[in-house]
Amino acid sequence: MVRNRERNLVEDGILDQGSEHGAPLPAFRTSPLRERVLGEVHARPFRPIGSPRTVLHYAFLTNTEEAAADEAWFAEFCVSRGGHGPTSGTRHHMIPFGGGTLSWEQHAEFTTYSWDGPAAAVDIFGQLPRIHPFGAAFRAPGDLLVAVRLEVRDESETDLWREHFDADSLTVSCVEDSAGRVATDFRQDGDGLTRFLVFNRSLRDVQLGAVVQRLLEVETYRTLSMLGLFEATRLQPEIRRAEIELAELTGEMRDTSGLGANQGLLDKFTALAASLEAGATASTFRFGASRAYAEIVNARFQTLREEAAPGELSMSSFLVRRLAPAMRTCQAIEDRQAMLSRKLARATTLLRTRVDVELEEQNRNLLQSMNRRARLQLRLQQTVEGLSVAAVSYYVVGLFSYLAKAAKEAGLPLPDANVVTGLAVPVVVLAIWWTVRRIRHHHAEGQTEDK
């Protein structure tokens, strides 16, 4: 039965008769994004980290031009140290440096440099390693936003490390089901670096590398997420002024009448709406990015399985006291912008409707005036036509009079010229009147056909 099925597949061209395992797969046309999509999953592997270890991490705000210039500089930096730089379109790259690893990453609005190397001293947060990439030769790609010094040590039996932190904001958390412990106060030291201390209890090197990377991401994204708060603070007075101006314009709209006044008021509403929409458009990215960064911070804490050490305050509990209100402030500003925009749209629609009604009434009055003028013109035209009939008849009768006199002088047997002229008057008048009437009817029919 199996052989019969294979024979059918061979006859259909699906199975290669000369191959035990069937025909090789054909070469399908590959999407140009396939390699990049597959490679993105492996672009940021967790680097195994042992202890003791020192990690330095910096994040710089960069725009498109600054990011391109930094990529070119970093490529030259890698080549000058015997390596190769990132390929075109690559957003992550690592090179060995100073006995450790230098990692470069580009993101939508910032660029990060991270270096991990052997600790220079046994003392926690002692002298920095002599060899690190962030010396005088380093070129900062943009404005510095995040600076972290993270120390990895084996589990300590003493609490001497507490002297390196502010006791009022110190947080101590257990991570990875208490396989590690993390201490930080989220404050800057004398070098402007936020300090993190990681104690390794039973973490393997890969696990420890994952914990370190997630902690660096927590510090980076929690800092970036706070940018939305200052944008909200900047916009709040503008929104308040817009709300007051809208209330004043709405009250003025209630008491305003007349087409000119309403059109002027409509211009004010339009200017206010344009100003509001400009501010909302400019802040959309910032508020959206802040929400995304805050969600990443919460996701990293969940991945770390972070919980407070006995008798200590956890990192997530400390940050949520400020991060959550900041995100609610951003959301409140967005809601006020949306509410104000809807109110402006309704008020503008009502005022525009009023203006349209007044314009229609004005147009109606104009049409009525035009109709009155058209009727007057028609009457005048009829009067002129009557006068024109008399005038033309007068000239035609005069011509008949000259013709009758000439015929009489020529010896034609005609009655008196005055008699002929008198008899021609009614005939001429009727003929002229009939001709004018035919011409008027002809023009009236032509206008009807044009319509």
Side-chain angles (χ1 to χ4, degrees), residues 48-249:
I49 293 179
S51 56
R53 201 76 170 173
T54 297
V55 180
L56 299 177
H57 174 78
Y58 292 91
F60 304 90
L61 293 175
T62 52
N63 55 32
T64 304
E65 292 77 13
E66 291 172 338
D70 177 65
E71 182 177 356
W73 176 86
F74 182 66
E76 295 178 359
F77 180 85
C78 296
V79 173
S80 66
R81 281 153 181 78
H84 62 87
T87 59
S88 178
T90 302
R91 305 179 68 86
H92 316 277
H93 193 68
M94 293 184 296
I95 60 170
F97 187 98
T101 302
L102 175 63
S103 176
W104 167 87
E105 296 183 20
Q106 278 192 344
H107 300 262
E109 60 173 333
F110 65 97
T111 301
T112 62
Y113 282 89
S114 303
W115 176 80
D116 69 276
V122 177
D123 296 336
I124 297 176
F125 296 113
Q127 187 68 30
L128 281 171
R130 184 177 60 85
I131 301 177
H132 63 76
F134 306 111
F138 179 75
R139 177 186 176 279
D143 295 335
L144 176 66
L145 185 66
V146 179
V148 179
R149 178 179 178 179
L150 187 147
E151 298 283 345
V152 179
R153 294 291 189 271
D154 293 328
E155 179 65 20
S156 174
E157 299 296 333
T158 66
D159 286 342
L160 296 179
W161 53 267
R162 291 179 178 270
E163 65 185 18
H164 299 286
F165 299 98
D166 182 6
D168 294 334
S169 56
L170 175 63
T171 65
V172 183
S173 301
C174 295
V175 296
E176 296 289 341
D177 300 326
S178 298
R181 193 159 53 126
V182 181
T184 183
D185 58 2
F186 296 103
R187 293 187 180 275
Q188 298 182 36
D189 61 9
D191 297 321
L193 301 169
T194 303
R195 292 179 173 180
F196 282 81
L197 179 58
V198 179
F199 289 113
N200 183 12
R201 289 179 175 175
S202 58
L203 293 169
R204 298 192 305 274
D205 289 351
V206 174
Q207 287 181 299
L208 184 57
V211 168
V212 168
Q213 181 168 325
R214 286 162 181 160
L215 290 173
L216 296 179
E217 291 173 349
V218 165
E219 176 63 15
T220 300
Y221 290 118
R222 71 99 179 177
T223 306
L224 286 163
S225 65
M226 295 299 290
L227 295 178
L229 175 63
F230 302 102
E231 179 70 11
T233 303
R234 183 187 67 82
L235 288 174
Q236 190 166 0
E238 298 180 8
I239 296 176
R240 182 55 183 161
R241 284 195 298 269
E243 290 172 340
I244 295 174
E245 186 176 356
L246 176 61
E248 294 175 351
L249 291 177

Side-chain angles (χ1 to χ4, degrees), residues 267-406:
D267 292 338
K268 295 180 181 179
F269 272 108
T270 304
L272 179 60
S275 175
L276 178 65
E277 291 301 323
T281 302
S283 61
T284 297
F285 170 78
R286 183 75 276 148
F287 290 152
S290 292
R291 283 195 300 270
Y293 294 145
E295 292 174 359
I296 292 175
V297 171
N298 295 330
R300 294 298 180 267
F301 279 132
Q302 294 178 3
T303 305
L304 286 168
R305 298 194 292 277
E306 182 252 4
E307 58 184 10
E312 305 287 354
L313 180 67
S314 68
M315 292 183 292
S316 58
S317 298
F318 178 83
L319 290 181
V320 75
R321 294 187 306 169
R322 195 68 196 99
L323 190 59
M327 294 303 101
R328 286 195 291 269
T329 300
C330 295
Q331 185 63 50
I333 291 297
E334 280 192 298
D335 292 342
R336 288 174 65 185
Q337 286 177 328
M339 179 77 68
L340 192 57
S341 180
R342 289 194 295 269
K343 289 181 178 179
L344 261 172
R346 288 198 298 268
T348 303
T349 301
L350 288 173
L351 187 57
R352 193 180 302 277
T353 302
R354 179 190 294 181
V355 170
D356 291 340
V357 170
E358 291 178 349
L359 282 174
E360 290 178 359
E361 183 177 357
Q362 188 180 61
N363 292 336
R364 184 187 62 187
N365 295 334
L366 180 61
L367 290 174
Q368 290 176 350
S369 176
M370 292 175 63
N371 288 335
R372 286 194 298 270
R373 285 197 298 269
R375 286 195 295 270
L376 291 176
Q377 290 176 355
L378 179 61
R379 293 174 184 175
L380 180 60
Q381 181 180 356
Q382 292 173 347
T383 303
V384 171
E385 288 177 356
L387 294 176
S388 64
V389 168
V392 173
S393 300
Y394 173 79
Y395 287 111
V396 172
V397 169
L399 293 176
F400 268 104
S401 175
Y402 288 120
L403 183 62
K405 290 178 181 179

